[in-house]
Amino acid sequence: MTSAATRPDVKRGTIPVFATATAITVSNIYFTQPLLDEIARGFGIAPSAAGLVATTGQIGYALGIIAIVPLADTVRLRRLSILLLAVTATVLLAGAFAPSVALLSMATLILSASTVLPQVIMPTVVSMATPGNAGRVLGAVGTGLTMGALLSRTVAGLIAEATGTWRAGFVIAALVTGALLLVLPRYMPDDRPTSTGASESYLHLLASLPKLIAEHAPLRLSAALGATVFAAFSAFWSALAFHLTAAPISLGPAVIGLFGLFGVPGALAARYSGRLTDRWGTRNVNVLSLTSVLLAFALFGFASQSLIALAVGCNLLGYGTTSGQIANQARIFAAPPTIRARLNTVYIFAVFAGGAVGSAVAGVLFSAFGWTGVVLSGLGFLLLAGVVLVGYALRAPRAAGRTTVAADTLEKHAEDDGRVGDISSRR
């Protein structure tokens, strides 16, 4: 990421630091998932009881999105980052020494609620971008988020295998998160976002969330697209292990745990969708996203027993999902800085809810119809996304179809597809 993508007053190296911090912090949400069997054996409980750790982690993250992310519109971001990192590192260390699954679940609830720093960083990095580069910086930081989510499970499993205990993963996560305290705050803005935003009370921030949904059409579009595409993404990943362990594929748990690595190339390629968003506009990148995910599910359906086809589909799915998120966030971050964090709160919560619905629907359909049911559920969610996108395009004024987001439009909403960047300024 060259310095031309950020304002001259932004410290050199900010984008790589933000991407790394995003990868590290988001991994704290997912790294416990491959350790659940080890946790169950360590406490002498049933695997279903150990699943409480994963459940409380998801609940905690949802609570953090609603209760903490809106603060980024009013408080000093440097202080907020210090507080969140300190709480997360402390609770991770407490989790490492938890004497019972109940206390471990409580620790997971708290650390997941405080691990929302990536959703604070996203609107912050857009405010640091030069006109026409919002998608580019979002692509760079968003890649860190995706890589952290993909690799955390594999790394946690390797640590547990090397040390012989699930507790080592919590200790190492605490040390790495604590190390960010020495680096990340130096790159976060020390000033409040704006003087007007600083005057809003916490309760007013929370009360304004429903109003934002009603008033901002770009938010409604991004939330609907994000929720439906992530529902398809979650439907696939939640049922994949069952598909791979069943005959005739019949893979073991170790190989299945490494299967997520197949999606890394697609996630890395999605970084360049940020630049495409700056050049083509968010709507066109959304079309690219839906096309990529649709091709993925076509492969999942027509070549369901081929590991090569599944691996290619994983890359298409990862690329499409990440590209769509970059476009969706670029659209909503064309709004004034005073409300970006709250817009992101609503958007991420919608995506989170969509993922939960996707997993639940896939579980029911897999039990009833097998892998075919999972594929059909994914295609159904994509159909909903397509209807939303086409409907929005038909309602939007034709003349506003290529709204340019330059320096002045970073202070107002894009009325249509949120095109990010001044095309005339591009090479």
Side-chain angles (χ1 to χ4, degrees), residues 125-156:
V125 76
V126 171
S127 299
M128 295 178 169
T130 53
N133 282 295
R136 188 179 178 188
V137 296
L138 279 173
V141 177
T143 299
L145 186 147
T146 303
M147 294 299 292
L150 283 175
L151 298 180
S152 58
R153 300 175 178 90
T154 302
V155 173

mmCIF file of all heavy atoms in Angstrom, residues 125-156:
data_model
loop_
_atom_site.group_PDB
_atom_site.id
_atom_site.type_symbol
_atom_site.label_atom_id
_atom_site.label_comp_id
_atom_site.label_asym_id
_atom_site.label_seq_id
_atom_site.Cartn_x
_atom_site.Cartn_y
_atom_site.Cartn_z
ATOM 1 N N VAL A 125 -9.920 3.896 8.790
ATOM 2 C CA VAL A 125 -8.968 3.887 7.677
ATOM 3 C C VAL A 125 -9.532 4.619 6.461
ATOM 4 O O VAL A 125 -8.778 5.234 5.686
ATOM 5 C CB VAL A 125 -8.572 2.432 7.326
ATOM 6 C CG1 VAL A 125 -9.665 1.715 6.563
ATOM 7 C CG2 VAL A 125 -7.271 2.416 6.531
ATOM 8 N N VAL A 126 -10.866 4.597 6.296
ATOM 9 C CA VAL A 126 -11.471 5.359 5.195
ATOM 10 C C VAL A 126 -11.275 6.848 5.408
ATOM 11 O O VAL A 126 -11.030 7.604 4.465
ATOM 12 C CB VAL A 126 -12.960 5.000 5.066
ATOM 13 C CG1 VAL A 126 -13.662 5.942 4.083
ATOM 14 C CG2 VAL A 126 -13.120 3.567 4.605
ATOM 15 N N SER A 127 -11.360 7.299 6.653
ATOM 16 C CA SER A 127 -11.144 8.714 6.950
ATOM 17 C C SER A 127 -9.710 9.139 6.679
ATOM 18 O O SER A 127 -9.441 10.326 6.492
ATOM 19 C CB SER A 127 -11.495 8.998 8.416
ATOM 20 O OG SER A 127 -12.848 8.706 8.690
ATOM 21 N N MET A 128 -8.794 8.197 6.658
ATOM 22 C CA MET A 128 -7.385 8.496 6.400
ATOM 23 C C MET A 128 -7.036 8.431 4.922
ATOM 24 O O MET A 128 -5.932 8.825 4.533
ATOM 25 C CB MET A 128 -6.498 7.507 7.159
ATOM 26 C CG MET A 128 -6.586 7.613 8.667
ATOM 27 S SD MET A 128 -5.531 6.364 9.447
ATOM 28 C CE MET A 128 -5.559 6.939 11.156
ATOM 29 N N ALA A 129 -7.946 7.927 4.100
ATOM 30 C CA ALA A 129 -7.650 7.727 2.681
ATOM 31 C C ALA A 129 -7.755 9.029 1.901
ATOM 32 O O ALA A 129 -8.529 9.928 2.250
ATOM 33 C CB ALA A 129 -8.604 6.701 2.091
ATOM 34 N N THR A 130 -6.977 9.125 0.834
ATOM 35 C CA THR A 130 -7.104 10.238 -0.097
ATOM 36 C C THR A 130 -8.317 9.997 -0.987
ATOM 37 O O THR A 130 -8.762 8.853 -1.137
ATOM 38 C CB THR A 130 -5.843 10.370 -0.960
ATOM 39 O OG1 THR A 130 -5.562 9.103 -1.579
ATOM 40 C CG2 THR A 130 -4.648 10.795 -0.131
ATOM 41 N N PRO A 131 -8.885 11.051 -1.577
ATOM 42 C CA PRO A 131 -10.048 10.881 -2.451
ATOM 43 C C PRO A 131 -9.774 9.858 -3.556
ATOM 44 O O PRO A 131 -8.729 9.877 -4.201
ATOM 45 C CB PRO A 131 -10.263 12.280 -3.031
ATOM 46 C CG PRO A 131 -9.716 13.198 -1.980
ATOM 47 C CD PRO A 131 -8.533 12.478 -1.408
ATOM 48 N N GLY A 132 -10.709 8.948 -3.750
ATOM 49 C CA GLY A 132 -10.565 7.933 -4.779
ATOM 50 C C GLY A 132 -9.872 6.674 -4.330
ATOM 51 O O GLY A 132 -9.646 5.772 -5.137
ATOM 52 N N ASN A 133 -9.499 6.576 -3.058
ATOM 53 C CA ASN A 133 -8.769 5.398 -2.589
ATOM 54 C C ASN A 133 -9.449 4.702 -1.413
ATOM 55 O O ASN A 133 -8.818 3.872 -0.744
ATOM 56 C CB ASN A 133 -7.347 5.787 -2.184
ATOM 57 C CG ASN A 133 -6.442 5.969 -3.386
ATOM 58 O OD1 ASN A 133 -6.157 5.029 -4.110
ATOM 59 N ND2 ASN A 133 -6.022 7.205 -3.614
ATOM 60 N N ALA A 134 -10.706 5.008 -1.150
ATOM 61 C CA ALA A 134 -11.390 4.365 -0.037
ATOM 62 C C ALA A 134 -11.471 2.855 -0.232
ATOM 63 O O ALA A 134 -11.209 2.074 0.687
ATOM 64 C CB ALA A 134 -12.796 4.947 0.124
ATOM 65 N N GLY A 135 -11.835 2.417 -1.428
ATOM 66 C CA GLY A 135 -11.904 0.991 -1.697
ATOM 67 C C GLY A 135 -10.555 0.317 -1.586
ATOM 68 O O GLY A 135 -10.449 -0.815 -1.107
ATOM 69 N N ARG A 136 -9.522 1.017 -1.991
ATOM 70 C CA ARG A 136 -8.175 0.449 -1.955
ATOM 71 C C ARG A 136 -7.730 0.162 -0.526
ATOM 72 O O ARG A 136 -7.204 -0.918 -0.231
ATOM 73 C CB ARG A 136 -7.204 1.418 -2.638
ATOM 74 C CG ARG A 136 -5.811 0.856 -2.833
ATOM 75 C CD ARG A 136 -4.953 1.883 -3.541
ATOM 76 N NE ARG A 136 -3.586 1.416 -3.712
ATOM 77 C CZ ARG A 136 -2.594 2.167 -4.158
ATOM 78 N NH1 ARG A 136 -2.836 3.425 -4.488
ATOM 79 N NH2 ARG A 136 -1.380 1.676 -4.300
ATOM 80 N N VAL A 137 -7.920 1.117 0.375
ATOM 81 C CA VAL A 137 -7.487 0.897 1.761
ATOM 82 C C VAL A 137 -8.395 -0.111 2.461
ATOM 83 O O VAL A 137 -7.931 -0.907 3.288
ATOM 84 C CB VAL A 137 -7.426 2.229 2.541
ATOM 85 C CG1 VAL A 137 -6.377 3.150 1.938
ATOM 86 C CG2 VAL A 137 -8.777 2.923 2.613
ATOM 87 N N LEU A 138 -9.688 -0.105 2.123
ATOM 88 C CA LEU A 138 -10.578 -1.106 2.682
ATOM 89 C C LEU A 138 -10.178 -2.502 2.222
ATOM 90 O O LEU A 138 -10.251 -3.472 2.991
ATOM 91 C CB LEU A 138 -12.027 -0.830 2.272
ATOM 92 C CG LEU A 138 -12.791 0.221 3.077
ATOM 93 C CD1 LEU A 138 -14.146 0.479 2.425
ATOM 94 C CD2 LEU A 138 -12.983 -0.230 4.519
ATOM 95 N N GLY A 139 -9.757 -2.616 0.965
ATOM 96 C CA GLY A 139 -9.319 -3.907 0.454
ATOM 97 C C GLY A 139 -8.114 -4.436 1.200
ATOM 98 O O GLY A 139 -8.032 -5.628 1.514
ATOM 99 N N ALA A 140 -7.158 -3.549 1.501
ATOM 100 C CA ALA A 140 -5.960 -3.974 2.213
ATOM 101 C C ALA A 140 -6.271 -4.432 3.625
ATOM 102 O O ALA A 140 -5.835 -5.501 4.073
ATOM 103 C CB ALA A 140 -4.944 -2.828 2.248
ATOM 104 N N VAL A 141 -7.057 -3.640 4.357
ATOM 105 C CA VAL A 141 -7.383 -3.995 5.735
ATOM 106 C C VAL A 141 -8.357 -5.174 5.768
ATOM 107 O O VAL A 141 -8.250 -6.061 6.629
ATOM 108 C CB VAL A 141 -7.969 -2.782 6.477
ATOM 109 C CG1 VAL A 141 -8.389 -3.156 7.888
ATOM 110 C CG2 VAL A 141 -6.952 -1.647 6.520
ATOM 111 N N GLY A 142 -9.299 -5.207 4.835
ATOM 112 C CA GLY A 142 -10.240 -6.317 4.775
ATOM 113 C C GLY A 142 -9.569 -7.642 4.497
ATOM 114 O O GLY A 142 -10.014 -8.692 4.971
ATOM 115 N N THR A 143 -8.473 -7.628 3.740
ATOM 116 C CA THR A 143 -7.714 -8.849 3.501
ATOM 117 C C THR A 143 -7.111 -9.376 4.793
ATOM 118 O O THR A 143 -7.089 -10.589 5.045
ATOM 119 C CB THR A 143 -6.599 -8.596 2.471
ATOM 120 O OG1 THR A 143 -7.195 -8.175 1.234
ATOM 121 C CG2 THR A 143 -5.786 -9.861 2.222
ATOM 122 N N GLY A 144 -6.642 -8.459 5.633
ATOM 123 C CA GLY A 144 -6.127 -8.878 6.935
ATOM 124 C C GLY A 144 -7.198 -9.539 7.765
ATOM 125 O O GLY A 144 -6.955 -10.567 8.420
ATOM 126 N N LEU A 145 -8.401 -8.988 7.735
ATOM 127 C CA LEU A 145 -9.507 -9.569 8.491
ATOM 128 C C LEU A 145 -9.818 -10.977 7.998
ATOM 129 O O LEU A 145 -9.975 -11.916 8.801
ATOM 130 C CB LEU A 145 -10.734 -8.663 8.358
ATOM 131 C CG LEU A 145 -11.955 -9.024 9.203
ATOM 132 C CD1 LEU A 145 -12.695 -7.756 9.604
ATOM 133 C CD2 LEU A 145 -12.906 -9.939 8.446
ATOM 134 N N THR A 146 -9.901 -11.153 6.683
ATOM 135 C CA THR A 146 -10.216 -12.472 6.130
ATOM 136 C C THR A 146 -9.126 -13.483 6.441
ATOM 137 O O THR A 146 -9.408 -14.637 6.797
ATOM 138 C CB THR A 146 -10.416 -12.368 4.610
ATOM 139 O OG1 THR A 146 -11.445 -11.409 4.333
ATOM 140 C CG2 THR A 146 -10.817 -13.709 4.027
ATOM 141 N N MET A 147 -7.871 -13.069 6.311
ATOM 142 C CA MET A 147 -6.767 -13.986 6.584
ATOM 143 C C MET A 147 -6.729 -14.394 8.045
ATOM 144 O O MET A 147 -6.450 -15.549 8.377
ATOM 145 C CB MET A 147 -5.442 -13.334 6.180
ATOM 146 C CG MET A 147 -5.300 -13.097 4.687
ATOM 147 S SD MET A 147 -5.379 -14.616 3.722
ATOM 148 C CE MET A 147 -3.856 -15.393 4.247
ATOM 149 N N GLY A 148 -7.022 -13.455 8.931
ATOM 150 C CA GLY A 148 -7.059 -13.790 10.352
ATOM 151 C C GLY A 148 -8.131 -14.813 10.659
ATOM 152 O O GLY A 148 -7.915 -15.762 11.425
ATOM 153 N N ALA A 149 -9.298 -14.640 10.050
ATOM 154 C CA ALA A 149 -10.395 -15.586 10.277
ATOM 155 C C ALA A 149 -10.079 -16.955 9.696
ATOM 156 O O ALA A 149 -10.393 -17.988 10.297
ATOM 157 C CB ALA A 149 -11.680 -15.032 9.658
ATOM 158 N N LEU A 150 -9.426 -16.991 8.531
ATOM 159 C CA LEU A 150 -9.125 -18.265 7.881
ATOM 160 C C LEU A 150 -8.014 -19.032 8.592
ATOM 161 O O LEU A 150 -8.105 -20.244 8.793
ATOM 162 C CB LEU A 150 -8.721 -18.028 6.421
ATOM 163 C CG LEU A 150 -9.829 -17.719 5.422
ATOM 164 C CD1 LEU A 150 -9.223 -17.391 4.060
ATOM 165 C CD2 LEU A 150 -10.799 -18.887 5.292
ATOM 166 N N LEU A 151 -6.956 -18.323 8.961
ATOM 167 C CA LEU A 151 -5.753 -18.996 9.472
ATOM 168 C C LEU A 151 -5.792 -19.269 10.965
ATOM 169 O O LEU A 151 -5.027 -20.103 11.459
ATOM 170 C CB LEU A 151 -4.515 -18.161 9.134
ATOM 171 C CG LEU A 151 -4.237 -17.943 7.643
ATOM 172 C CD1 LEU A 151 -2.977 -17.101 7.456
ATOM 173 C CD2 LEU A 151 -4.090 -19.276 6.915
ATOM 174 N N SER A 152 -6.649 -18.570 11.707
ATOM 175 C CA SER A 152 -6.632 -18.718 13.164
ATOM 176 C C SER A 152 -6.953 -20.147 13.592
ATOM 177 O O SER A 152 -6.349 -20.670 14.539
ATOM 178 C CB SER A 152 -7.635 -17.745 13.802
ATOM 179 O OG SER A 152 -8.945 -17.973 13.314
ATOM 180 N N ARG A 153 -7.890 -20.785 12.911
ATOM 181 C CA ARG A 153 -8.255 -22.151 13.277
ATOM 182 C C ARG A 153 -7.084 -23.104 13.080
ATOM 183 O O ARG A 153 -6.805 -23.961 13.927
ATOM 184 C CB ARG A 153 -9.455 -22.607 12.440
ATOM 185 C CG ARG A 153 -10.709 -21.759 12.611
ATOM 186 C CD ARG A 153 -11.788 -22.240 11.650
ATOM 187 N NE ARG A 153 -13.041 -21.506 11.781
ATOM 188 C CZ ARG A 153 -13.336 -20.411 11.100
ATOM 189 N NH1 ARG A 153 -12.446 -19.894 10.274
ATOM 190 N NH2 ARG A 153 -14.492 -19.810 11.260
ATOM 191 N N THR A 154 -6.403 -22.952 11.951
ATOM 192 C CA THR A 154 -5.270 -23.840 11.661
ATOM 193 C C THR A 154 -4.141 -23.629 12.648
ATOM 194 O O THR A 154 -3.565 -24.589 13.178
ATOM 195 C CB THR A 154 -4.769 -23.588 10.224
ATOM 196 O OG1 THR A 154 -5.842 -23.797 9.303
ATOM 197 C CG2 THR A 154 -3.628 -24.534 9.892
ATOM 198 N N VAL A 155 -3.808 -22.366 12.919
ATOM 199 C CA VAL A 155 -2.717 -22.068 13.849
ATOM 200 C C VAL A 155 -3.036 -22.573 15.245
ATOM 201 O O VAL A 155 -2.190 -23.160 15.924
ATOM 202 C CB VAL A 155 -2.434 -20.555 13.866
ATOM 203 C CG1 VAL A 155 -1.425 -20.211 14.959
ATOM 204 C CG2 VAL A 155 -1.910 -20.094 12.517
ATOM 205 N N ALA A 156 -4.277 -22.386 15.688
ATOM 206 C CA ALA A 156 -4.671 -22.843 17.027
ATOM 207 C C ALA A 156 -4.549 -24.354 17.141
ATOM 208 O O ALA A 156 -4.091 -24.882 18.169
ATOM 209 C CB ALA A 156 -6.105 -22.410 17.331
#
